[in-house]
Amino acid sequence: MRAMPKRIRDYGITIGKLPPGLRNSITDVDGVTVGHTTLDDGPVKTGVTAVLPHGGSLFREKLPAAVHVMNGFGKPAGTVQIEELGTLETPIVLTNTLSVGTASDALIDYMLERHPGIGDTTGTVNPVVCECNDGYLNDIRGKHVQRKHVIKAIEEAKTQVAEGAVGAGTGMSCLGFKGGIGSASRIVKIENRRYTLGVLVLSNFGRREDFLLNGMRVNPLISDHEREEPDKGSIIVIAGTDAPLTEHQLKRVIKRTSVGIERTGSFIGNGSGEVAVGFSTAVRISHNPRRAFTNIKRIHENYIDLLFRAAAESTEEAILNSLVSAETTTGRKGHRRVSLTEYMHLIQ
């Protein structure tokens, strides 16, 4: 059995001040699960990752949600309705750029099979799919992601989150190294109550010469410099919390994920798409309400700073976990991305 890949804390590197959750993962938020389908065969380096915010029916019991676009060089599906209505009603699927259509169609099929009323006795459904371009390592033109891969990722979601070159992260590059899936979490205390905020990233951005590891510039420590390229990748950040937040407050929180991205050295370049999606599991919004009005609990703004910090710290650590968990990968046309782990002995 292959050993579990190391995470950034295994190298003695602690990010931030707040304590992590039990798994240091988005699944520390109760009810959240994550599934992957990995396609790794020669020039095919791609896949699907699914985030399920709770184990019930998301369509019948929606969650408060928000979207924040840091740079809009991206092709996500479903974010317009989240921005307008402030709710999430499907799992969140991550994949490569040219497979958004397939993933969206598969997610619609998944929801239709479980909710016969969709499009008949009730409205339609808003599938949420986010993407990054894995075309450097992956034969993206081949459009290898199929419906069955999306369904498999959703159905096999669990609390243990595989990281690195798995699922949607199989062919991703980050900061000149092999990127992919990473996750982290933070625990905050507000009036003696514990809340969890967890983040999952699909990292595919940045340049090696800009890379910062816990504030330290890494490039001068590495001798085999590769040719630098423009920052034309992307990152998707999925943030979940059990703290009671409105959609407006969620948007304020996920804006702070940009702090974590910048702390790793990104300047959010013109050709890079940075999108964050956030949700709260503290409140469920009925699709068929019995009453016209509801009372929704929310944190007062004067106490929200800890959640801002949690979003920044979790994002930074999730990105670093995606780097050290990913193995060196050779993909299409012999393109190669080296794992950060091959240099950690020089950095520590």
Side-chain angles (χ1 to χ4, degrees), residues 151-168:
I151 302 301
K152 181 175 182 286
I154 296 172
E155 292 183 340
E156 295 186 1
K158 53 190 177 183
T159 55
Q160 188 64 43
V161 181
E163 295 175 298
V166 295

Side-chain angles (χ1 to χ4, degrees), residues 7-9 13-26 28-29 183-189 194-199 214 240-242 263 306-318 320-321:
R7 308 180 82 197
I8 199 64
R9 289 181 182 241
I13 297 170
T14 300
I15 303 301
K17 298 179 179 179
L18 295 173
L22 179 64
R23 302 180 188 90
N24 197 8
S25 163
I26 192 171
D28 287 324
V29 179
S183 195
S185 69
R186 293 293 184 271
I187 304 296
V188 301
K189 289 185 178 180
R194 287 166 55 94
Y195 296 108
T196 302
L197 184 143
V199 160
N214 203 19
T241 183
D242 56 10
R263 284 178 179 170
L306 280 177
L307 290 167
F308 288 172
R309 177 182 288 275
E313 290 185 8
S314 296
T315 302
E316 181 181 4
E317 184 161 349
L320 296 176
N321 281 336

Side-chain angles (χ1 to χ4, degrees), residues 164-220:
V166 295
T170 305
M172 301 299 171
S173 306
C174 185
L175 293 157
F177 301 96
K178 181 67 188 72
I181 297 292
S183 195
S185 69
R186 293 293 184 271
I187 304 296
V188 301
K189 289 185 178 180
I190 302 174
E191 288 193 345
N192 296 319
R193 296 188 180 185
R194 287 166 55 94
Y195 296 108
T196 302
L197 184 143
V199 160
L200 181 138
V201 301
L202 179 61
S203 69
N204 191 55
F205 69 94
R207 307 185 305 168
R208 185 182 292 190
E209 67 177 16
D210 298 322
F211 178 36
L212 297 173
L213 200 167
N214 203 19
M216 178 178 63
R217 190 166 296 281
V218 168
N219 202 46

